[in-house]
Amino acid sequence: MNTLRDDLHALAEEAPAVDLAAQAVRGARRRRATRLAVVAATVTCLIAAGGAVLLQQIRPAPPIVLTPPETKALPLPAKGVGPVEQAYRPECRSAAKESCRIWRIATREGDTYELGKDARGPLEVTADGRRIAYYSSQHRTIVVRDLASGRTWKAPLKQPAEDFAVEYALRLSPNGLRFIVSGWGGRRQPNKLVDMERGTVTDLKRGWWPVSVSDGSGSVVLAKPYDNSSQVWVLGHDPITIPDFTYYYSALAPDGRTLARLGQTFDPDREPMVQEDGSIVTFDAVQAGRETRTPISGLAEGHRPSRLGSWLNATEVSVLATPERLSADGPPSLVYAVDVRTGKSRELFALRTGGLNVVPGLVR
């Protein structure tokens, strides 16, 4: 990407030395080292604390607590598996251990299954938890699997494993049969829109990060941050510019045009220069115009909003809040439903599993 992603994603494109856009990119790259260092430290602390850094598609239900998955995991059955609560890799002292690289899934019913050696690469879960998508080393492509029926779909895109040995994103549509796969830092740096039902692969512009993908022929939303601003592009419309450098967006709202992002402040003399301000900002992703910035209230003491996820309804979006001070025996990360009109939040559940976690619904 020819812009900086402050937590995971960045790639470079060639540009003339006198191009003003290139100067902005170089400025972004200078910021990248500091921001990635902060992100790396945060992720390390989260893993040590047993907290999850990924967010689930939330059901509008009373607060629940995710119980840690069982230590023993059964092989994943061919069918008859319930919706996933979270996927994870076991927490290990040695990353060289075989068990550290094998994904497990924990269902809402409390069952824990192991995927096997074929699924060691990226893994994502649809927002409803009913389908998983993973890189199959055997088939050299992304495979989508319906857990209840056992049906599988293989993407019409062959990819070497090295595509996922660097920074990447795998963004799923609600039914998992349409997705964007992107990579940064390797030789190929793919950015592809894949439609399993139609059997098509569409090249997307390099430098644009996937935010949201709808089923069928629905909207695709991409983003590209610059030094002090970002562009958001709903394909089929002109990109709009927003006055923040950010990757912290929600999925597209039910109205098909509204996005939320975490509010922030920028100070070039501060370290880090960009800091979240505890607000949620909603804006029209199709037509630039007025934004609404609303302070978030009701989060647990010592927690701050750090990620956005899917919309629960027309006015509430899911938010992951992480402890400001991370420690192994500290409080867990919490998931809230936040009303974008009032900023009021209600706690939904806590994340308390160890290791690397993937929970459905996070835009990351």
Side-chain angles (χ1 to χ4, degrees):
M1 178 178 287
N2 65 344
T3 55
L4 162 68
R5 183 179 182 191
D6 57 332
D7 54 352
L8 292 176
H9 301 303
L11 64 83
E13 292 183 336
E14 295 183 357
V18 296
D19 193 341
L20 292 179
Q23 295 179 19
V25 171
R26 288 194 293 271
R29 288 173 182 158
R30 288 193 296 271
R31 299 170 190 268
R32 180 177 188 271
T34 299
R35 297 187 187 187
L36 285 181
V38 172
V39 170
T42 301
V43 171
T44 301
C45 292
L46 279 172
I47 293 174
V53 296
L54 306 183
L55 176 63
Q56 177 184 18
Q57 165 69 19
I58 308 303
R59 302 184 303 279
I64 59 174
V65 175
L66 294 181
T67 57
E70 297 292 335
T71 301
K72 295 182 179 180
L74 298 173
L76 183 66
K79 60 181 180 179
V81 178
V84 175
E85 194 82 84
Q86 59 186 304
Y88 70 100
R89 281 174 170 158
E91 193 170 15
C92 297
R93 293 182 179 179
S94 173
K97 291 181 63 177
E98 186 71 21
S99 60
C100 299
R101 296 184 290 166
I102 295 179
W103 285 102
R104 293 179 178 183
I105 60 173
T107 69
R108 296 172 189 169
E109 289 77 18
D111 300 315
T112 303
Y113 301 105
E114 201 165 70
L115 267 66
K117 298 179 180 179
D118 186 42
R120 291 181 177 175
L123 180 141
E124 293 293 337
V125 185
T126 57
D128 62 6
R130 299 182 184 278
R131 291 176 177 174
I132 60 174
Y134 60 91
Y135 178 74
S136 167
S137 56
Q138 176 184 353
H139 299 289
R140 299 183 71 227
T141 193
I142 300 295
V143 173
V144 175
R145 177 170 177 172
D146 186 282
L147 295 170
S149 70
R151 182 180 178 183
T152 61
W153 295 261
K154 297 180 182 65
L157 173 67
K158 295 295 184 182
Q159 291 185 271
E162 52 262 32
D163 277 4
F164 305 102
V166 293
E167 301 172 68
Y168 64 84
L170 178 59
R171 184 81 66 248
L172 302 179
S173 72
N175 69 9
L177 299 183
R178 196 169 181 233
F179 63 83
I180 296 176
V181 59
S182 304
W184 298 268
R187 291 184 301 105
R188 288 157 44 88
Q189 300 182 352
N191 201 18
K192 312 275 189 180
L193 172 64
V194 179
D195 192 316
M196 306 282 247
E197 294 178 299
R198 294 176 173 84
T200 60
V201 178
T202 304
D203 286 316
L204 301 175
K205 276 191 172 184
R206 296 176 67 179
W208 290 88
W209 177 74
V211 172
S212 185
V213 185
S214 300
D215 291 333
S217 58
S219 299
V220 173
V221 184
L222 308 173
K224 177 190 285 188
Y226 295 90
D227 262 9
N228 302 320
S229 65
S230 300
Q231 284 190 308
V232 174
W233 185 14
V234 179
L235 297 189
H237 302 272
D238 293 331
I240 67 165
T241 299
I242 62 173
D244 286 332
F245 171 99
T246 186
Y247 282 94
Y248 298 146
Y249 300 97
S250 72
L252 197 63
D255 64 9
R257 60 188 304 148
T258 300
L259 282 181
R261 70 179 191 270
L262 292 179
Q264 59 183 231
T265 58
F266 172 76
D267 184 346
D269 298 323
R270 183 177 59 192
E271 193 64 38
M273 291 176 285
V274 176
Q275 295 182 12
E276 282 70 47
D277 63 5
S279 70
I280 191 166
V281 181
T282 53
F283 63 99
D284 191 326
V286 174
Q287 184 175 3
R290 187 177 63 181
E291 299 181 339
T292 301
R293 185 179 299 262
T294 306
I296 297 175
S297 62
L299 300 184
E301 184 178 357
H303 284 67
R304 61 178 180 82
S306 61
R307 296 282 178 176
L308 297 176
S310 301
W311 292 73
L312 311 181
N313 49 55
T315 62
E316 286 186 311
V317 68
S318 48
V319 175
L320 173 67
T322 55
E324 294 177 351
R325 296 183 178 180
L326 301 169
S327 62
D329 57 350
S333 298
L334 302 170
V335 176
Y336 292 86
V338 174
D339 191 313
V340 298
R341 302 167 303 174
T342 64
K344 292 182 178 179
S345 61
R346 53 187 178 91
E347 184 180 332
L348 297 170
F349 57 84
L351 301 178
R352 296 184 179 178
T353 58
L356 174 63
N357 290 263
V358 174
V359 187
L362 181 73
V363 177
R364 62 184 180 91

